Amino acid sequence: MFSYTFQWNQALARLPQMLEGALVTMQVAIMSMVLGILIAIILTGFRLSGNKFLNAVAVTWIEIARNTPALFQIYMAHFGVASFGIHFSPFMSLLIGITFNNAGYLSENFRGALKAIPETQTRSARSLGMPPIMAFRTVVLPQMLRISFLPMTNQMVWAVLMTSLGVTVSMNADLYGVTQDLNALTFRTFELFAIAGVIFYIIVKVINLGARLIAARLFRY
Amino acid sequence: MIEIKDVHKSFATLEVLKGINLTVEKGEVLSVIGGSGSGKSTLLTCINGLEPINSGAILVDGTEVHAKSTDLNKLRRKIGIVFQQFNAFPHLTVLDNVTLAPRKVLGMGKKQAEEIAVQQLENVGLGDKINVYPGRLSGGQQQRMAIARALAMSPEYMLFDEVTSALDPQLVGEVLDTLKMLADDGMTMICVTHEMAFARDVSDRVAFFHQGVMAEIAPSDEFFRAPKHPETQKFLSNIRE
Ligand SMILES: Nc1ncnc2c1ncn2[C@@H]1O[C@H](COP(=O)(O)OP(=O)(O)O)[C@@H](O)[C@H]1O
Ligand SMILES: [Mg+2]
């Protein structure tokens, strides 16, 4: 039989440290989402600009983000660019890697959402005297964000889970990094990672619940 | 006054407007009729500068719509347009649909914009729907909201593009009544329409478009009593059958 004896108390004593790590995880995820959404809007603009160069930039970004492992993207943001003498901290590398991934996926979602909004919406707004940017901001963007809301929620969940890949670039401040360090210290492997798993699970559940509440408030039509 | 001078307009190789000449005076109601694809919608979208033209000129109160120096956003404030599809902004309540442009484009305060919007909505019989989202409205109600939305900008001209064509027959009347009310108020209007009774009874003149050409234009009673162009006669007799 197993010779492993569970020692939950010893692991639970580390809970405060792990929760601090969870805060860093949330910080990375939220920052990567905010930046990712902004960049995704810009990439979508590139794709619709009709400019070949800008379109190529956006397509390349989106293709890499969606068709390579997230681990590869984070790795490149750390060790890859280091080959060219660019050194990012583990935190920055993780943030850049996840943001890159978010932007690629979200841009594709935004483009799909835009396609679902009839061209006549913009025409109507322009007919009322709105300049193009105002028409986009007041009429198109709100509808686009509604259509993209569920995919954005999913991406936020992914962003949280992707932070666990930070350990490969020596990130040790986030939940997964903290857990791994504590494991090296105490060898309460199962207990520690089980607690980390439960914390991840709760975070994701809270995100999904929060998203549902926000959606119910924002989208009454 | 809207002056249309020898306007030619093509989509790629397809010439859709083949030299249109037309003047609409202040206070006039003009109905435009004609077969599908004859260029009626295109003409309207050229008048408010949504579509470019290839040659000729369109002047609204002396301002050339397609001149580079023309501020189209400003010009469009005085030209309201309502399309066949309802084009309500689905994410905004009826009230917000109507106040959006006055507030954002004209910089009007919320209170004043809402007062005007409520007035316009009451005029078109939607006073009890102001806090509803357009998705809850019938087609006729959505179309009347679109009219109120355009009127809230206090336009001097109104362009209507088959605003009743997408409606169930029993809803056509309420929208036509709104147009008639507007005409009685002295609004300058160009109405592309398939409603012959409306064209005859409400408009001052009627124009017939055929394959990108304005084949005939006449005072409405004369137009229906004694159409001159053979294509007009054919079109009218087809409709009467
Ligand atoms: N955006 C467009 N691109 C290409 N062709 C168009 C476009 N809009 C209209 N057309 C064509 O121009 C012609 C006139 O269209 P339209 O002005 O909509 O006619 P009507 O309103 O009289 O039915 C049609 O043959 C139509 O297919
Ligand atoms: Mg048409």
Side-chain angles (χ1 to χ4, degrees), chain B residues 11-12 14 16 34-43 51 161-162 192:
Chain B
F11 289 108
L14 177 71
V16 175
S36 159
S38 58
K40 308 180 298 293
S41 299
T42 304
L43 182 73
E51 288 288 351
D161 190 1
E162 297 193 31
V192 173

Side-chain angles (χ1 to χ4, degrees), chain B:
Chain B
M1 184 167 65
I2 298 176
E3 296 160 274
I4 299 166
K5 297 180 176 171
D6 196 24
V7 164
H8 289 258
K9 159 81 186 168
S10 303
F11 289 108
T13 55
L14 177 71
E15 190 170 33
V16 175
L17 298 176
K18 302 171 181 165
I20 304 295
N21 285 288
L22 173 65
T23 299
V24 180
E25 298 288 344
K26 255 308 170 51
E28 186 181 0
V29 177
L30 173 74
S31 284
V32 177
I33 64 176
S36 159
S38 58
K40 308 180 298 293
S41 299
T42 304
L43 182 73
L44 294 191
T45 49
C46 287
I47 291 174
N48 84 346
L50 279 177
E51 288 288 351
I53 59 177
N54 296 76
S55 66
I58 299 177
L59 287 85
V60 176
D61 294 338
T63 305
E64 193 176 342
V65 176
H66 297 89
K68 275 213 173 70
S69 56
T70 299
D71 181 350
L72 271 180
N73 296 323
K74 203 167 160 207
L75 186 69
R76 286 182 186 138
R77 293 177 197 173
K78 65 173 168 188
I79 310 171
I81 186 165
V82 181
F83 300 98
Q84 179 176 350
Q85 309 84 358
F86 313 133
N87 295 339
F89 302 139
H91 60 298
L92 299 176
T93 61
V94 168
L95 185 66
D96 290 343
N97 259 273
V98 180
T99 59
L100 182 69
R103 294 187 62 192
K104 301 281 177 185
V105 176
L106 304 178
M108 202 182 279
K110 185 177 159 85
K111 198 159 161 277
Q112 192 194 354
E114 288 185 350
E115 269 169 29
I116 292 172
V118 168
Q119 185 62 53
Q120 291 296 353
L121 287 166
E122 279 172 359
N123 285 349
V124 299
L126 291 176
D128 57 338
K129 299 286 183 196
I130 57 174
N131 292 318
V132 167
Y133 284 93
R136 297 271 174 81
L137 300 180
S138 72
Q141 290 169 331
Q142 288 197 43
Q143 203 56 300
R144 284 184 280 144
M145 186 203 77
I147 294 170
R149 187 172 72 184
L151 291 177
M153 293 293 283
S154 317
E156 294 172 35
Y157 303 93
M158 284 294 295
L159 313 176
F160 295 97
D161 190 1
E162 297 193 31
V163 292
T164 57
S165 295
L167 296 178
D168 294 336
Q170 73 273 20
L171 300 178
V172 168
E174 63 189 52
V175 174
L176 290 182
D177 287 346
T178 305
L179 296 192
K180 185 164 185 320
M181 193 176 68
L182 207 52
D184 291 343
D185 275 358
M187 176 62 78
T188 313
M189 300 162 51
I190 302 180
C191 310
V192 173
T193 185
H194 286 308
E195 300 295 331
M196 294 305 138
F198 173 85
R200 188 188 56 227
D201 301 338
V202 179
S203 42
D204 301 305
R205 285 191 298 165
V206 180
F208 175 71
F209 273 56
H210 180 66
Q211 297 179 352
V213 173
M214 191 170 73
E216 181 161 0
I217 182 164
S220 50
D221 50 347
E222 188 183 320
F223 182 94
F224 287 102
R225 191 166 24 83
K228 293 193 182 64
H229 197 284
E231 289 295 340
T232 316
Q233 294 163 355
K234 209 160 95 190
F235 185 82
L236 291 177
S237 71
N238 277 341
I239 281 181
R240 279 168 189 152
E241 270 158 22

Side-chain angles (χ1 to χ4, degrees), chain A residues 32-51:
Chain A
S32 74
M33 272 308 280
V34 173
L35 292 171
I37 289 170
L38 293 177
I39 296 171
I41 292 174
I42 295 171
L43 289 178
T44 308
F46 282 8
R47 293 213 62 181
L48 303 174
S49 68
N51 177 308

